[in-house]
Amino acid sequence: MKIVAAKKILKANDQLAEENRARLNAAGVFAVNVVGSPGCGKTTLLEALFGNLRGRLRPAVIEGDIAGSVDAGRIDALGVPVVQINTEGACHLDATMIAAAAESFDYAALDLLVIENVGNLVCTAGFDLGEHLRLVVLSVSEGDDKLIKYPAIFQRSHALVISKVDLLPYTNFQIDRAAAGMRRLAPGAAIFRVGALGGEGVAELADWLVEQARAVPRSPECPPWSRKP
Amino acid sequence: MKIVAAKKILKANDQLAEENRARLNAAGVFAVNVVGSPGCGKTTLLEALFGNLRGRLRPAVIEGDIAGSVDAGRIDALGVPVVQINTEGACHLDATMIAAAAESFDYAALDLLVIENVGNLVCTAGFDLGEHLRLVVLSVSEGDDKLIKYPAIFQRSHALVISKVDLLPYTNFQIDRAAAGMRRLAPGAAIFRVGALGGEGVAELADWLVEQARAVPRSPECPPWSRKP
């Protein structure tokens, strides 16, 4: 029988996440952990962002999926360095997986490391990967009640991207209600509305990321992760 | 430090799930576990189904959410008995929660118990709740690649409902590709396409559920759960 000590694992994860962050800081690489439901449009958002960021930030991506390499194939097609992690059943990425995957990259050739987490609005909330910024994506087709039902992930994010806004006319999603929910859960968080396929709002989000990335390396006394968003 | 024995918990869950199922069988109540991503349209599907099933099956619902009672409120408004479980962080329902929640119902007044699981395409796959049938909902706005990325939950379901088909013209979702993926993962599973808001496909799914419910109580030697779908 396998004995799993839950608290010990989380403590080990946090420690390794700090080590990941220290390595990123030392190299001046800004890391973003992108979380959200399956199919909320994380990969399509990255495709749009990388187009806008060309010549401004040199990105690389770690793709997390239970199985398959659909997303990594899409990022690879853009000429962006990418590593696919197959979690084989695990419902979130953890700091150990990131440490292993990041070894594939030449940090000297990068400014931005984007980690696309497993599609999961619950379990990804609890695991610090060593990122500087956590960005939660919520598509309008999911409904604006998700902030009430899954508060932790919004509470622990530094920015909310309301995605697929081109579908707004065909849904009952209310931007105001979602934004109010986010302000309640994470008062300091930035809120963006993006239609990645049509390009709406992509420039605003890209500009904001460039600005955020300038702050790396941050002071180790106040790691961004420990800040309330 | 808290020591958690993962296998022991799963074994205990399976045993309690069998007890739940035996109780349902004895009462002639058919139980369906509805799983899918956050915002895939599970509750809206139930609202549409209950309209169609009126006079045919007497339903009750267990709603699983991390927090809040949005969904339970919607079911209650239909006059359908409902219990809300707040998992307070847990990413799936388990058989213990179902056993506790089901105590609120008068089984003699029911034919159908619908369990709406926490929105999660990963963790809900591993937990038998004592249901007779597992139904996975995938909305067209999520993309047809979800079967490749999250195989386990589709593999372990007896039916796939492709939901929000009214959004098909505004997405790149291909029904054929999703159906082919489901046939590969779960060859015997039924596949439905439903637009719950407009009513498309609701009658077909309702009729099929009525037919499935007739088979309860099933033989304890061959619990439906152990059947490959």
Side-chain angles (χ1 to χ4, degrees), chain A residues 3-4 37-39 66-67 71 91 119 122-123 141-142 146 149-150 164 167 170, chain B residues 3-4 37-39 66-67 71 91 119 122-123 141-142 146 149-150 164 167 170:
Chain A
I3 307 288
V4 179
S37 296
I66 308 291
D71 291 348
C91 50
V122 186
C123 315
S141 45
E142 289 171 71
K146 295 301 157 295
K149 293 180 179 175
Y150 305 87
K164 306 193 188 185
L167 292 179
Y170 317 109
Chain B
I3 307 288
V4 179
S37 297
I66 308 289
D71 291 347
C91 49
V122 185
C123 314
S141 45
E142 289 171 71
K146 294 303 157 297
K149 293 179 179 175
Y150 306 86
K164 308 194 188 183
L167 292 180
Y170 316 110

PDB file of all heavy atoms in Angstrom, chain A residues 3-4 37-39 66-67 71 91 119 122-123 141-142 146 149-150 164 167 170, chain B residues 3-4 37-39 66-67 71 91 119 122-123 141-142 146 149-150 164 167 170:
ATOM      1  N   ILE A   3       1.582   5.047   0.884  1.00  0.00           N
ATOM      2  CA  ILE A   3       1.176   6.066   1.861  1.00  0.00           C
ATOM      3  C   ILE A   3       1.550   7.445   1.326  1.00  0.00           C
ATOM      4  O   ILE A   3       2.713   7.686   0.980  1.00  0.00           O
ATOM      5  CB  ILE A   3       1.875   5.834   3.217  1.00  0.00           C
ATOM      6  CG1 ILE A   3       1.673   4.400   3.705  1.00  0.00           C
ATOM      7  CG2 ILE A   3       1.390   6.844   4.252  1.00  0.00           C
ATOM      8  CD1 ILE A   3       0.292   4.082   4.183  1.00  0.00           C
ATOM      9  N   VAL A   4       0.588   8.317   1.243  1.00  0.00           N
ATOM     10  CA  VAL A   4       0.835   9.654   0.719  1.00  0.00           C
ATOM     11  C   VAL A   4       0.605  10.682   1.825  1.00  0.00           C
ATOM     12  O   VAL A   4      -0.475  10.740   2.403  1.00  0.00           O
ATOM     13  CB  VAL A   4      -0.120   9.958  -0.464  1.00  0.00           C
ATOM     14  CG1 VAL A   4       0.137  11.369  -0.982  1.00  0.00           C
ATOM     15  CG2 VAL A   4       0.064   8.946  -1.574  1.00  0.00           C
ATOM     16  N   SER A  37     -10.803  26.426 -17.182  1.00  0.00           N
ATOM     17  CA  SER A  37     -11.523  25.199 -17.501  1.00  0.00           C
ATOM     18  C   SER A  37     -11.008  24.577 -18.797  1.00  0.00           C
ATOM     19  O   SER A  37     -10.426  25.273 -19.625  1.00  0.00           O
ATOM     20  CB  SER A  37     -13.012  25.505 -17.716  1.00  0.00           C
ATOM     21  OG  SER A  37     -13.603  25.984 -16.547  1.00  0.00           O
ATOM     22  N   PRO A  38     -11.271  23.286 -18.995  1.00  0.00           N
ATOM     23  CA  PRO A  38     -10.998  22.701 -20.308  1.00  0.00           C
ATOM     24  C   PRO A  38     -11.784  23.477 -21.374  1.00  0.00           C
ATOM     25  O   PRO A  38     -12.975  23.765 -21.185  1.00  0.00           O
ATOM     26  CB  PRO A  38     -11.558  21.276 -20.184  1.00  0.00           C
ATOM     27  CG  PRO A  38     -11.571  20.986 -18.717  1.00  0.00           C
ATOM     28  CD  PRO A  38     -11.855  22.302 -18.060  1.00  0.00           C
ATOM     29  N   GLY A  39     -11.112  23.831 -22.438  1.00  0.00           N
ATOM     30  CA  GLY A  39     -11.815  24.478 -23.550  1.00  0.00           C
ATOM     31  C   GLY A  39     -12.172  25.934 -23.335  1.00  0.00           C
ATOM     32  O   GLY A  39     -12.999  26.482 -24.059  1.00  0.00           O
ATOM     33  N   ILE A  66      -3.368  15.996 -19.651  1.00  0.00           N
ATOM     34  CA  ILE A  66      -3.435  14.609 -19.201  1.00  0.00           C
ATOM     35  C   ILE A  66      -2.769  13.708 -20.240  1.00  0.00           C
ATOM     36  O   ILE A  66      -1.993  12.824 -19.921  1.00  0.00           O
ATOM     37  CB  ILE A  66      -4.916  14.163 -19.039  1.00  0.00           C
ATOM     38  CG1 ILE A  66      -5.700  15.146 -18.176  1.00  0.00           C
ATOM     39  CG2 ILE A  66      -4.992  12.750 -18.488  1.00  0.00           C
ATOM     40  CD1 ILE A  66      -5.326  15.166 -16.744  1.00  0.00           C
ATOM     41  N   ALA A  67      -3.125  13.943 -21.491  1.00  0.00           N
ATOM     42  CA  ALA A  67      -2.629  13.098 -22.587  1.00  0.00           C
ATOM     43  C   ALA A  67      -2.582  13.925 -23.857  1.00  0.00           C
ATOM     44  O   ALA A  67      -3.197  14.976 -23.954  1.00  0.00           O
ATOM     45  CB  ALA A  67      -3.546  11.886 -22.771  1.00  0.00           C
ATOM     46  N   ASP A  71      -1.937  20.748 -28.135  1.00  0.00           N
ATOM     47  CA  ASP A  71      -1.596  22.146 -27.862  1.00  0.00           C
ATOM     48  C   ASP A  71      -0.132  22.440 -28.184  1.00  0.00           C
ATOM     49  O   ASP A  71       0.194  23.481 -28.751  1.00  0.00           O
ATOM     50  CB  ASP A  71      -1.892  22.496 -26.400  1.00  0.00           C
ATOM     51  CG  ASP A  71      -3.392  22.520 -26.131  1.00  0.00           C
ATOM     52  OD1 ASP A  71      -4.168  22.500 -27.108  1.00  0.00           O
ATOM     53  OD2 ASP A  71      -3.777  22.553 -24.955  1.00  0.00           O
ATOM     54  N   CYS A  91      -4.258  15.881 -12.232  1.00  0.00           N
ATOM     55  CA  CYS A  91      -5.222  16.908 -12.601  1.00  0.00           C
ATOM     56  C   CYS A  91      -4.648  18.316 -12.583  1.00  0.00           C
ATOM     57  O   CYS A  91      -5.374  19.287 -12.729  1.00  0.00           O
ATOM     58  CB  CYS A  91      -6.415  16.809 -11.656  1.00  0.00           C
ATOM     59  SG  CYS A  91      -5.920  16.770  -9.936  1.00  0.00           S
ATOM     60  N   GLY A 119      -6.436  21.834 -17.967  1.00  0.00           N
ATOM     61  CA  GLY A 119      -7.743  22.471 -17.887  1.00  0.00           C
ATOM     62  C   GLY A 119      -8.496  21.993 -16.652  1.00  0.00           C
ATOM     63  O   GLY A 119      -8.970  20.862 -16.603  1.00  0.00           O
ATOM     64  N   VAL A 122     -10.333  23.749 -10.458  1.00  0.00           N
ATOM     65  CA  VAL A 122     -10.280  23.421  -9.037  1.00  0.00           C
ATOM     66  C   VAL A 122      -8.841  23.142  -8.590  1.00  0.00           C
ATOM     67  O   VAL A 122      -8.241  23.905  -7.836  1.00  0.00           O
ATOM     68  CB  VAL A 122     -11.174  22.209  -8.704  1.00  0.00           C
ATOM     69  CG1 VAL A 122     -11.212  21.983  -7.199  1.00  0.00           C
ATOM     70  CG2 VAL A 122     -12.574  22.387  -9.257  1.00  0.00           C
ATOM     71  N   CYS A 123      -8.283  22.056  -9.092  1.00  0.00           N
ATOM     72  CA  CYS A 123      -7.057  21.508  -8.506  1.00  0.00           C
ATOM     73  C   CYS A 123      -5.825  22.336  -8.812  1.00  0.00           C
ATOM     74  O   CYS A 123      -4.846  22.304  -8.059  1.00  0.00           O
ATOM     75  CB  CYS A 123      -6.855  20.089  -8.997  1.00  0.00           C
ATOM     76  SG  CYS A 123      -8.370  19.114  -8.929  1.00  0.00           S
ATOM     77  N   SER A 141     -18.868  31.475 -22.668  1.00  0.00           N
ATOM     78  CA  SER A 141     -19.785  30.333 -22.819  1.00  0.00           C
ATOM     79  C   SER A 141     -19.886  29.500 -21.551  1.00  0.00           C
ATOM     80  O   SER A 141     -20.793  28.677 -21.418  1.00  0.00           O
ATOM     81  CB  SER A 141     -19.355  29.469 -24.011  1.00  0.00           C
ATOM     82  OG  SER A 141     -17.972  29.264 -24.003  1.00  0.00           O
ATOM     83  N   GLU A 142     -18.996  29.706 -20.602  1.00  0.00           N
ATOM     84  CA  GLU A 142     -19.069  28.957 -19.331  1.00  0.00           C
ATOM     85  C   GLU A 142     -20.071  29.536 -18.344  1.00  0.00           C
ATOM     86  O   GLU A 142     -20.453  28.867 -17.394  1.00  0.00           O
ATOM     87  CB  GLU A 142     -17.691  28.940 -18.651  1.00  0.00           C
ATOM     88  CG  GLU A 142     -16.668  28.092 -19.342  1.00  0.00           C
ATOM     89  CD  GLU A 142     -15.291  28.300 -18.731  1.00  0.00           C
ATOM     90  OE1 GLU A 142     -15.066  27.857 -17.602  1.00  0.00           O
ATOM     91  OE2 GLU A 142     -14.442  28.931 -19.389  1.00  0.00           O
ATOM     92  N   LYS A 146     -19.383  31.165 -12.500  1.00  0.00           N
ATOM     93  CA  LYS A 146     -18.222  30.334 -12.142  1.00  0.00           C
ATOM     94  C   LYS A 146     -17.420  30.942 -10.991  1.00  0.00           C
ATOM     95  O   LYS A 146     -16.790  30.234 -10.213  1.00  0.00           O
ATOM     96  CB  LYS A 146     -17.328  30.104 -13.361  1.00  0.00           C
ATOM     97  CG  LYS A 146     -17.991  29.291 -14.464  1.00  0.00           C
ATOM     98  CD  LYS A 146     -18.421  27.935 -13.979  1.00  0.00           C
ATOM     99  CE  LYS A 146     -19.533  27.336 -14.821  1.00  0.00           C
ATOM    100  NZ  LYS A 146     -20.830  28.032 -14.808  1.00  0.00           N
ATOM    101  N   LYS A 149     -18.998  29.666  -7.895  1.00  0.00           N
ATOM    102  CA  LYS A 149     -18.881  28.226  -7.682  1.00  0.00           C
ATOM    103  C   LYS A 149     -17.452  27.752  -7.439  1.00  0.00           C
ATOM    104  O   LYS A 149     -17.245  26.714  -6.815  1.00  0.00           O
ATOM    105  CB  LYS A 149     -19.448  27.480  -8.890  1.00  0.00           C
ATOM    106  CG  LYS A 149     -20.940  27.633  -9.078  1.00  0.00           C
ATOM    107  CD  LYS A 149     -21.350  26.858 -10.301  1.00  0.00           C
ATOM    108  CE  LYS A 149     -22.836  26.933 -10.565  1.00  0.00           C
ATOM    109  NZ  LYS A 149     -23.163  26.255 -11.826  1.00  0.00           N
ATOM    110  N   TYR A 150     -16.481  28.456  -7.997  1.00  0.00           N
ATOM    111  CA  TYR A 150     -15.073  28.033  -7.911  1.00  0.00           C
ATOM    112  C   TYR A 150     -14.215  29.199  -7.418  1.00  0.00           C
ATOM    113  O   TYR A 150     -13.310  29.650  -8.112  1.00  0.00           O
ATOM    114  CB  TYR A 150     -14.583  27.560  -9.290  1.00  0.00           C
ATOM    115  CG  TYR A 150     -15.444  26.480  -9.896  1.00  0.00           C
ATOM    116  CD1 TYR A 150     -16.574  26.793 -10.654  1.00  0.00           C
ATOM    117  CD2 TYR A 150     -15.150  25.127  -9.695  1.00  0.00           C
ATOM    118  CE1 TYR A 150     -17.376  25.803 -11.194  1.00  0.00           C
ATOM    119  CE2 TYR A 150     -15.945  24.129 -10.235  1.00  0.00           C
ATOM    120  CZ  TYR A 150     -17.059  24.480 -10.983  1.00  0.00           C
ATOM    121  OH  TYR A 150     -17.848  23.497 -11.511  1.00  0.00           O
ATOM    122  N   LYS A 164     -13.384  34.635 -25.373  1.00  0.00           N
ATOM    123  CA  LYS A 164     -14.469  34.322 -26.333  1.00  0.00           C
ATOM    124  C   LYS A 164     -15.586  35.371 -26.289  1.00  0.00           C
ATOM    125  O   LYS A 164     -16.771  35.028 -26.370  1.00  0.00           O
ATOM    126  CB  LYS A 164     -15.056  32.915 -26.081  1.00  0.00           C
ATOM    127  CG  LYS A 164     -14.011  31.807 -26.060  1.00  0.00           C
ATOM    128  CD  LYS A 164     -14.624  30.425 -26.131  1.00  0.00           C
ATOM    129  CE  LYS A 164     -13.552  29.357 -25.910  1.00  0.00           C
ATOM    130  NZ  LYS A 164     -14.013  27.990 -26.067  1.00  0.00           N
ATOM    131  N   LEU A 167     -18.600  35.494 -28.553  1.00  0.00           N
ATOM    132  CA  LEU A 167     -19.809  34.671 -28.337  1.00  0.00           C
ATOM    133  C   LEU A 167     -20.824  35.351 -27.415  1.00  0.00           C
ATOM    134  O   LEU A 167     -21.898  34.797 -27.161  1.00  0.00           O
ATOM    135  CB  LEU A 167     -19.422  33.298 -27.751  1.00  0.00           C
ATOM    136  CG  LEU A 167     -18.638  32.348 -28.670  1.00  0.00           C
ATOM    137  CD1 LEU A 167     -18.320  31.045 -27.935  1.00  0.00           C
ATOM    138  CD2 LEU A 167     -19.420  32.036 -29.948  1.00  0.00           C
ATOM    139  N   TYR A 170     -24.607  35.407 -28.023  1.00  0.00           N
ATOM    140  CA  TYR A 170     -25.318  34.119 -28.039  1.00  0.00           C
ATOM    141  C   TYR A 170     -25.371  33.469 -26.667  1.00  0.00           C
ATOM    142  O   TYR A 170     -25.760  32.312 -26.534  1.00  0.00           O
ATOM    143  CB  TYR A 170     -24.634  33.175 -29.045  1.00  0.00           C
ATOM    144  CG  TYR A 170     -24.265  33.866 -30.332  1.00  0.00           C
ATOM    145  CD1 TYR A 170     -22.943  34.125 -30.654  1.00  0.00           C
ATOM    146  CD2 TYR A 170     -25.258  34.301 -31.214  1.00  0.00           C
ATOM    147  CE1 TYR A 170     -22.599  34.793 -31.819  1.00  0.00           C
ATOM    148  CE2 TYR A 170     -24.922  34.966 -32.372  1.00  0.00           C
ATOM    149  CZ  TYR A 170     -23.600  35.214 -32.668  1.00  0.00           C
ATOM    150  OH  TYR A 170     -23.277  35.879 -33.817  1.00  0.00           O
TER     151      TYR A 170
ATOM    152  N   ILE B   3      -1.607  11.614   7.570  1.00  0.00           N
ATOM    153  CA  ILE B   3      -1.215  10.583   6.604  1.00  0.00           C
ATOM    154  C   ILE B   3      -2.459  10.105   5.845  1.00  0.00           C
ATOM    155  O   ILE B   3      -3.441   9.694   6.460  1.00  0.00           O
ATOM    156  CB  ILE B   3      -0.578   9.364   7.312  1.00  0.00           C
ATOM    157  CG1 ILE B   3       0.563   9.804   8.228  1.00  0.00           C
ATOM    158  CG2 ILE B   3      -0.120   8.335   6.292  1.00  0.00           C
ATOM    159  CD1 ILE B   3       1.797  10.239   7.515  1.00  0.00           C
ATOM    160  N   VAL B   4      -2.416  10.195   4.537  1.00  0.00           N
ATOM    161  CA  VAL B   4      -3.562   9.779   3.735  1.00  0.00           C
ATOM    162  C   VAL B   4      -3.177   8.568   2.897  1.00  0.00           C
ATOM    163  O   VAL B   4      -2.213   8.620   2.136  1.00  0.00           O
ATOM    164  CB  VAL B   4      -4.002  10.922   2.789  1.00  0.00           C
ATOM    165  CG1 VAL B   4      -5.177  10.476   1.943  1.00  0.00           C
ATOM    166  CG2 VAL B   4      -4.367  12.159   3.585  1.00  0.00           C
ATOM    167  N   SER B  37     -17.009  19.645 -17.781  1.00  0.00           N
ATOM    168  CA  SER B  37     -16.254  20.846 -17.411  1.00  0.00           C
ATOM    169  C   SER B  37     -17.147  21.866 -16.709  1.00  0.00           C
ATOM    170  O   SER B  37     -18.367  21.832 -16.888  1.00  0.00           O
ATOM    171  CB  SER B  37     -15.692  21.520 -18.663  1.00  0.00           C
ATOM    172  OG  SER B  37     -14.785  20.687 -19.318  1.00  0.00           O
ATOM    173  N   PRO B  38     -16.541  22.790 -15.972  1.00  0.00           N
ATOM    174  CA  PRO B  38     -17.331  23.928 -15.482  1.00  0.00           C
ATOM    175  C   PRO B  38     -17.967  24.651 -16.667  1.00  0.00           C
ATOM    176  O   PRO B  38     -17.302  24.898 -17.676  1.00  0.00           O
ATOM    177  CB  PRO B  38     -16.264  24.829 -14.828  1.00  0.00           C
ATOM    178  CG  PRO B  38     -15.121  23.920 -14.495  1.00  0.00           C
ATOM    179  CD  PRO B  38     -15.119  22.887 -15.575  1.00  0.00           C
ATOM    180  N   GLY B  39     -19.247  24.940 -16.552  1.00  0.00           N
ATOM    181  CA  GLY B  39     -19.892  25.734 -17.596  1.00  0.00           C
ATOM    182  C   GLY B  39     -20.213  24.988 -18.877  1.00  0.00           C
ATOM    183  O   GLY B  39     -20.494  25.621 -19.893  1.00  0.00           O
ATOM    184  N   ILE B  66     -18.151  23.418  -5.344  1.00  0.00           N
ATOM    185  CA  ILE B  66     -17.156  23.831  -4.360  1.00  0.00           C
ATOM    186  C   ILE B  66     -17.828  24.760  -3.345  1.00  0.00           C
ATOM    187  O   ILE B  66     -17.647  24.629  -2.146  1.00  0.00           O
ATOM    188  CB  ILE B  66     -16.004  24.606  -5.045  1.00  0.00           C
ATOM    189  CG1 ILE B  66     -15.436  23.822  -6.221  1.00  0.00           C
ATOM    190  CG2 ILE B  66     -14.948  24.999  -4.033  1.00  0.00           C
ATOM    191  CD1 ILE B  66     -14.661  22.621  -5.874  1.00  0.00           C
ATOM    192  N   ALA B  67     -18.598  25.696  -3.845  1.00  0.00           N
ATOM    193  CA  ALA B  67     -19.234  26.703  -2.991  1.00  0.00           C
ATOM    194  C   ALA B  67     -20.525  27.171  -3.653  1.00  0.00           C
ATOM    195  O   ALA B  67     -20.742  26.969  -4.841  1.00  0.00           O
ATOM    196  CB  ALA B  67     -18.282  27.885  -2.777  1.00  0.00           C
ATOM    197  N   ASP B  71     -26.928  26.454  -8.520  1.00  0.00           N
ATOM    198  CA  ASP B  71     -27.583  25.391  -9.274  1.00  0.00           C
ATOM    199  C   ASP B  71     -28.762  24.808  -8.507  1.00  0.00           C
ATOM    200  O   ASP B  71     -29.821  24.525  -9.086  1.00  0.00           O
ATOM    201  CB  ASP B  71     -26.576  24.282  -9.606  1.00  0.00           C
ATOM    202  CG  ASP B  71     -25.542  24.755 -10.625  1.00  0.00           C
ATOM    203  OD1 ASP B  71     -25.753  25.816 -11.235  1.00  0.00           O
ATOM    204  OD2 ASP B  71     -24.538  24.056 -10.800  1.00  0.00           O
ATOM    205  N   CYS B  91     -12.497  18.492  -5.253  1.00  0.00           N
ATOM    206  CA  CYS B  91     -12.678  18.675  -6.693  1.00  0.00           C
ATOM    207  C   CYS B  91     -13.636  17.678  -7.315  1.00  0.00           C
ATOM    208  O   CYS B  91     -13.778  17.609  -8.522  1.00  0.00           O
ATOM    209  CB  CYS B  91     -11.323  18.581  -7.374  1.00  0.00           C
ATOM    210  SG  CYS B  91     -10.397  17.118  -6.857  1.00  0.00           S
ATOM    211  N   GLY B 119     -17.940  20.593 -11.546  1.00  0.00           N
ATOM    212  CA  GLY B 119     -17.415  20.792 -12.898  1.00  0.00           C
ATOM    213  C   GLY B 119     -15.937  20.490 -12.948  1.00  0.00           C
ATOM    214  O   GLY B 119     -15.133  21.271 -12.432  1.00  0.00           O
ATOM    215  N   VAL B 122     -11.473  15.936 -14.959  1.00  0.00           N
ATOM    216  CA  VAL B 122     -10.381  15.035 -14.581  1.00  0.00           C
ATOM    217  C   VAL B 122     -10.763  14.202 -13.361  1.00  0.00           C
ATOM    218  O   VAL B 122     -10.951  12.994 -13.435  1.00  0.00           O
ATOM    219  CB  VAL B 122      -9.084  15.825 -14.278  1.00  0.00           C
ATOM    220  CG1 VAL B 122      -7.941  14.875 -14.015  1.00  0.00           C
ATOM    221  CG2 VAL B 122      -8.735  16.766 -15.418  1.00  0.00           C
ATOM    222  N   CYS B 123     -10.916  14.872 -12.233  1.00  0.00           N
ATOM    223  CA  CYS B 123     -10.955  14.169 -10.942  1.00  0.00           C
ATOM    224  C   CYS B 123     -12.250  13.396 -10.732  1.00  0.00           C
ATOM    225  O   CYS B 123     -12.282  12.431  -9.975  1.00  0.00           O
ATOM    226  CB  CYS B 123     -10.747  15.160  -9.813  1.00  0.00           C
ATOM    227  SG  CYS B 123      -9.389  16.290 -10.140  1.00  0.00           S
ATOM    228  N   SER B 141     -18.501  24.721 -27.413  1.00  0.00           N
ATOM    229  CA  SER B 141     -17.574  25.841 -27.227  1.00  0.00           C
ATOM    230  C   SER B 141     -16.254  25.408 -26.587  1.00  0.00           C
ATOM    231  O   SER B 141     -15.289  26.154 -26.588  1.00  0.00           O
ATOM    232  CB  SER B 141     -18.229  26.948 -26.404  1.00  0.00           C
ATOM    233  OG  SER B 141     -18.904  26.409 -25.304  1.00  0.00           O
ATOM    234  N   GLU B 142     -16.208  24.188 -26.041  1.00  0.00           N
ATOM    235  CA  GLU B 142     -14.958  23.691 -25.451  1.00  0.00           C
ATOM    236  C   GLU B 142     -13.974  23.134 -26.481  1.00  0.00           C
ATOM    237  O   GLU B 142     -12.797  22.958 -26.178  1.00  0.00           O
ATOM    238  CB  GLU B 142     -15.263  22.573 -24.440  1.00  0.00           C
ATOM    239  CG  GLU B 142     -15.918  23.046 -23.177  1.00  0.00           C
ATOM    240  CD  GLU B 142     -16.372  21.861 -22.339  1.00  0.00           C
ATOM    241  OE1 GLU B 142     -15.520  21.154 -21.782  1.00  0.00           O
ATOM    242  OE2 GLU B 142     -17.592  21.625 -22.265  1.00  0.00           O
ATOM    243  N   LYS B 146     -11.127  17.755 -26.705  1.00  0.00           N
ATOM    244  CA  LYS B 146     -11.143  17.388 -25.281  1.00  0.00           C
ATOM    245  C   LYS B 146     -11.084  15.876 -25.087  1.00  0.00           C
ATOM    246  O   LYS B 146     -10.587  15.405 -24.066  1.00  0.00           O
ATOM    247  CB  LYS B 146     -12.383  17.967 -24.586  1.00  0.00           C
ATOM    248  CG  LYS B 146     -12.382  19.493 -24.532  1.00  0.00           C
ATOM    249  CD  LYS B 146     -11.181  20.032 -23.854  1.00  0.00           C
ATOM    250  CE  LYS B 146     -10.835  21.464 -24.230  1.00  0.00           C
ATOM    251  NZ  LYS B 146     -10.476  21.712 -25.633  1.00  0.00           N
ATOM    252  N   LYS B 149      -7.487  15.002 -24.985  1.00  0.00           N
ATOM    253  CA  LYS B 149      -6.746  15.534 -23.834  1.00  0.00           C
ATOM    254  C   LYS B 149      -7.177  14.955 -22.493  1.00  0.00           C
ATOM    255  O   LYS B 149      -6.400  14.947 -21.545  1.00  0.00           O
ATOM    256  CB  LYS B 149      -6.914  17.052 -23.780  1.00  0.00           C
ATOM    257  CG  LYS B 149      -6.263  17.782 -24.933  1.00  0.00           C
ATOM    258  CD  LYS B 149      -6.526  19.261 -24.761  1.00  0.00           C
ATOM    259  CE  LYS B 149      -5.892  20.095 -25.836  1.00  0.00           C
ATOM    260  NZ  LYS B 149      -6.273  21.503 -25.674  1.00  0.00           N
ATOM    261  N   TYR B 150      -8.443  14.553 -22.394  1.00  0.00           N
ATOM    262  CA  TYR B 150      -8.991  14.068 -21.113  1.00  0.00           C
ATOM    263  C   TYR B 150      -9.671  12.711 -21.324  1.00  0.00           C
ATOM    264  O   TYR B 150     -10.876  12.574 -21.084  1.00  0.00           O
ATOM    265  CB  TYR B 150      -9.999  15.075 -20.542  1.00  0.00           C
ATOM    266  CG  TYR B 150      -9.435  16.468 -20.401  1.00  0.00           C
ATOM    267  CD1 TYR B 150      -9.462  17.367 -21.460  1.00  0.00           C
ATOM    268  CD2 TYR B 150      -8.836  16.866 -19.211  1.00  0.00           C
ATOM    269  CE1 TYR B 150      -8.912  18.638 -21.340  1.00  0.00           C
ATOM    270  CE2 TYR B 150      -8.284  18.130 -19.079  1.00  0.00           C
ATOM    271  CZ  TYR B 150      -8.332  19.014 -20.144  1.00  0.00           C
ATOM    272  OH  TYR B 150      -7.791  20.255 -20.018  1.00  0.00           O
ATOM    273  N   LYS B 164     -24.894  22.569 -26.184  1.00  0.00           N
ATOM    274  CA  LYS B 164     -24.806  23.910 -26.787  1.00  0.00           C
ATOM    275  C   LYS B 164     -24.628  23.847 -28.299  1.00  0.00           C
ATOM    276  O   LYS B 164     -23.850  24.633 -28.864  1.00  0.00           O
ATOM    277  CB  LYS B 164     -23.665  24.727 -26.142  1.00  0.00           C
ATOM    278  CG  LYS B 164     -23.735  24.770 -24.617  1.00  0.00           C
ATOM    279  CD  LYS B 164     -22.825  25.840 -24.040  1.00  0.00           C
ATOM    280  CE  LYS B 164     -22.762  25.727 -22.519  1.00  0.00           C
ATOM    281  NZ  LYS B 164     -21.979  26.736 -21.861  1.00  0.00           N
ATOM    282  N   LEU B 167     -24.520  26.794 -30.632  1.00  0.00           N
ATOM    283  CA  LEU B 167     -23.314  27.612 -30.835  1.00  0.00           C
ATOM    284  C   LEU B 167     -22.422  27.063 -31.954  1.00  0.00           C
ATOM    285  O   LEU B 167     -21.392  27.666 -32.277  1.00  0.00           O
ATOM    286  CB  LEU B 167     -22.507  27.713 -29.538  1.00  0.00           C
ATOM    287  CG  LEU B 167     -23.141  28.509 -28.386  1.00  0.00           C
ATOM    288  CD1 LEU B 167     -22.211  28.523 -27.178  1.00  0.00           C
ATOM    289  CD2 LEU B 167     -23.447  29.945 -28.807  1.00  0.00           C
ATOM    290  N   TYR B 170     -20.717  29.201 -34.628  1.00  0.00           N
ATOM    291  CA  TYR B 170     -19.748  30.213 -34.184  1.00  0.00           C
ATOM    292  C   TYR B 170     -18.465  29.583 -33.636  1.00  0.00           C
ATOM    293  O   TYR B 170     -17.633  30.264 -33.052  1.00  0.00           O
ATOM    294  CB  TYR B 170     -20.385  31.107 -33.115  1.00  0.00           C
ATOM    295  CG  TYR B 170     -21.789  31.514 -33.474  1.00  0.00           C
ATOM    296  CD1 TYR B 170     -22.883  31.007 -32.780  1.00  0.00           C
ATOM    297  CD2 TYR B 170     -22.014  32.361 -34.551  1.00  0.00           C
ATOM    298  CE1 TYR B 170     -24.172  31.357 -33.139  1.00  0.00           C
ATOM    299  CE2 TYR B 170     -23.301  32.708 -34.922  1.00  0.00           C
ATOM    300  CZ  TYR B 170     -24.371  32.207 -34.202  1.00  0.00           C
ATOM    301  OH  TYR B 170     -25.633  32.535 -34.572  1.00  0.00           O
TER     302      TYR B 170
END
